[in-house]
Amino acid sequence: MRTALRTALAAALVAGVAATPVLAAGSAFAAGTNQAPKAAAAAPAAAQDTPVRTVQLGGGLSAAVYARGDQHPYYTADVISDGTVLGELKAGAGYPPEDTQVFAGYAVTLTSEGEVTAVAQDGTLVRTVQVAEGLSAKVYARGDQHRYYTATVVKDGTALGELKAGAGYPPEDTQVFAGYSVTLTSEGEVTSFAANGTLVRTVQLAGGLSAKVYARGDQHRYFTADVVEGGTVLGELKAGAGYPPEDTQVFAGYAVTLTSEGEVTATAAPGAGAQGASASGGTGASAGKDKLGPCTVSTTVSIGAGTAAELFMTRQGPVAEFSTAGEDRVFAMVDRTHPSLPKSVGITARIVDPKTATPSLYTKVEGGTAKGSTHAFPKLPKGCTFEVPIENGTKGATGAKGATGATGAGAGLTTNTGQTSVIPQGGVAAGAEFAAEGDSTALVAAGAGAASLAAAGLGFVVLRRRAGADRA
C-alpha cells in the first residue's frame, strides 16, 4: 500500500513539474502579469487628405502630392495655379509608374515614388527678368528633345533683339542693349551689367542735390557719381574695383556716400541746417565758410586704408592734412611749399598744380592694388583773393608792405601779411608750427630732434582751435 502510494506521488510530482510552466504561463496570462512583449504595431497609413509634400514648379505652378492606398500604396498629385487645381496625376500600384500631363505650358510628371518634375514646353515663357529701368528680358523654353532657350530683350515695350543659348546654339549668348551687356545661358538664366560709361541711375538726394551714377570699367567694375545742384556738378565720387568700397564727401551741407554697388545715400553733415545750409562744425565747403572763416574752406575725402584727407583752400594756397578716418589726429600734411609726402609716411600723396587757383590732391595707398585717385580742392570763396602769386597769369594779393616779410627774423619761416603761415623749410627742429588762414590750428612736432615735418609726420597732432571769424 505504501509502495503504491509513493509511486503515485512520484508520478504526480513528475507530471506537475512538467505542467508547471504551462500553468504558470496560463495563470500569468489570465492575471495580466509578466506578459510576453507584443510585436510592434504597423505604422498607420498617411492621412489620405494630407499632402506629403508640396513641390514648386515653373510658371507659377505647384503640385500637392498625396499618399494613397494601404496594402497597395500609390501617389496622386494635384497641379495648382494661383490656388486653382488644374488637374490630377496618379502613379504606382495599379496605375502606371509615371503619369505625365501638360499644364499651362509645362509637362508635369509624377512617379510611383511620389516625385514631381516639370519641363516647359516648346515656346513657353518661363520667366521675365528686369535688366534695368524700362529694360527687360523675356525668356522662352524651346525644343522638345533638344532643349534650348531664347530671350527677347524689350525696352519700354519695344523688342530690341533676341538671344539664343543651349542645344545647337552656344552655351552663352551675350549682346549689348541700351548700354547693358545682357547674357543668356543654356539653362535659361539671364545676367547683365551696365557697359563702361553707362548712366545706370539718377538719384534724388536731400537739399536739392542729385547724383548721376555711372558704371565704369569692364572686367574690373566700379562706379562713379556726379553730385549735381541746380545743373552744376559739384564733384565726383568713386567706389569699387581699385577704389575704396565707399566714397563719402560733403556737398552743400550733406554727406553723400557712393558704394561699390553703385548705391548713393545722403545725410545731413554734422551742424548742417535743415535746408542744407551749414552751421559751425560742418566739414564741407559751405560748412568751412562758417567754421574756418569766410576765406578758408575745407572738405574731407577718404583715400583708402582707413585714411582721410582734409583739403583746405586758404589765401596762402592749398593744404591737405592726413588722419585716421574718424579721428582728429593728423599724422602728415602737404601744402603749397611742400606739395609731396616722403615715402617713409607709407602713402603716396602730392598736390597737383599747387601754385594755381585750381589745385588737386593725388593719393595712392602704398602696398595695395588700389589705383591712385585725385580729389579737387574746394575753390576759394567768392570775394576772397590769394595772398600769394598764382600761376597761369592770375596774380593774387601779395600783402601790404611794411609787414613782416619772407626774410623775417625766424630762419626757415615764411610769413604773409594779414595772416601768419609758419612753414618749415629744410631741416626743422621739433616744435615747428603751421597756422592756417583764419585758423589757430597748430601742427606740433611731438618728438625732439625730428629732422623735417614729413619725417616726423607720425608724431604730429593737430590741436583744432578754429577761429570764430576770418580776418579777411
Side-chain angles (χ1 to χ4, degrees):
M1 184 66 177
R2 290 182 178 179
T3 302
L5 181 58
R6 289 176 179 174
T7 302
L9 290 173
L13 180 62
V14 172
V17 171
T20 297
V22 177
L23 293 174
S27 299
F29 182 81
T33 59
N34 299 324
Q35 299 181 29
K38 295 181 180 180
Q48 299 287 313
D49 297 327
T50 302
V52 294
R53 69 179 64 88
T54 299
V55 182
Q56 296 300 318
L57 307 173
L61 299 177
S62 63
V65 182
Y66 297 85
R68 306 291 188 185
D70 295 322
Q71 295 181 349
H72 304 287
Y74 65 99
Y75 290 92
T76 66
D78 289 344
V79 180
I80 304 169
S81 176
D82 296 328
T84 301
V85 177
L86 304 182
E88 185 183 47
L89 303 173
K90 297 180 180 180
Y95 297 97
E98 288 188 356
D99 187 6
T100 300
Q101 298 181 41
V102 176
F103 302 94
Y106 283 81
V108 184
T109 299
L110 171 69
T111 70
S112 57
E113 287 77 32
E115 301 298 329
V116 180
T117 57
V119 178
Q121 294 298 95
D122 185 8
T124 300
L125 175 63
V126 295
R127 67 180 62 89
T128 298
V129 180
Q130 294 300 317
V131 176
E133 185 176 352
L135 189 66
S136 62
K138 296 181 178 294
V139 182
Y140 296 85
R142 304 292 186 183
D144 292 320
Q145 295 182 347
H146 305 287
R147 306 287 296 170
Y148 68 99
Y149 291 89
T150 65
T152 302
V153 181
V154 180
K155 180 174 176 61
D156 297 329
T158 301
L160 303 183
E162 186 180 52
L163 304 172
K164 297 180 180 180
Y169 297 96
E172 289 189 356
D173 188 6
T174 300
Q175 298 180 42
V176 176
F177 302 94
Y180 283 80
S181 177
V182 184
T183 298
L184 172 70
T185 71
S186 57
E187 287 77 32
E189 301 297 329
V190 174
T191 58
S192 64
F193 65 86
N196 188 8
T198 300
L199 174 64
V200 295
R201 67 180 63 89
T202 298
V203 182
Q204 295 300 316
L205 305 174
L209 299 176
S210 64
K212 294 182 178 295
V213 182
Y214 296 86
R216 304 291 184 183
D218 293 318
Q219 294 182 347
H220 304 289
R221 306 287 294 168
Y222 67 99
F223 291 90
T224 65
D226 289 343
V227 180
V228 182
E229 181 182 37
T232 300
V233 177
L234 304 182
E236 184 184 49
L237 304 173
K238 297 180 180 180
Y243 297 96
E246 288 190 357
D247 188 5
T248 300
Q249 298 182 40
V250 176
F251 301 94
Y254 285 86
V256 183
T257 299
L258 171 69
T259 72
S260 56
E261 287 76 34
E263 301 297 329
V264 180
T265 57
T267 57
Q275 301 301 320
S278 299
S280 178
T283 57
S286 297
K289 294 179 183 179
D290 292 324
K291 180 179 180 181
L292 306 178
C295 286
T296 299
V297 292
S298 75
T299 186
T300 301
V301 298
S302 172
I303 63 173
T307 302
E310 187 168 7
L311 311 184
F312 296 87
M313 180 57 79
T314 75
R315 288 187 175 189
Q316 286 72 45
V319 178
E321 295 177 350
F322 301 91
S323 62
T324 301
E327 297 182 5
D328 201 27
R329 182 181 181 86
V330 172
F331 61 81
M333 64 171 287
V334 290
D335 58 22
R336 187 177 192 267
T337 307
H338 303 83
S340 299
L341 286 180
K343 293 183 178 180
S344 60
V345 176
I347 297 174
T348 297
R350 64 176 177 272
I351 299 177
V352 181
D353 299 328
K355 297 183 180 181
T356 69
T358 57
S360 59
L361 178 69
Y362 171 82
T363 60
K364 182 178 182 299
V365 178
E366 297 290 343
T369 59
K371 300 177 181 178
S373 59
T374 302
H375 302 276
F377 280 82
K379 294 182 179 180
L380 201 64
K382 186 177 181 180
C384 297
T385 57
F386 289 97
E387 293 184 349
V388 291
I390 298 299
E391 295 181 355
N392 298 329
T394 303
K395 300 293 183 180
T398 58
K401 295 182 180 180
T404 304
T407 58
L413 304 181
T414 300
T415 307
N416 295 292
T417 303
Q419 158 63 48
T420 301
S421 290
V422 184
I423 304 176
Q425 298 182 3
V428 181
E433 297 183 352
F434 179 91
E437 156 68 27
D439 184 4
S440 60
T441 297
L443 190 66
V444 182
S452 68
L453 177 65
L458 293 176
F460 288 121
V461 180
V462 165
L463 308 178
R464 304 224 175 245
R465 298 189 299 273
R466 304 295 190 193
D470 191 278
R471 286 194 295 273

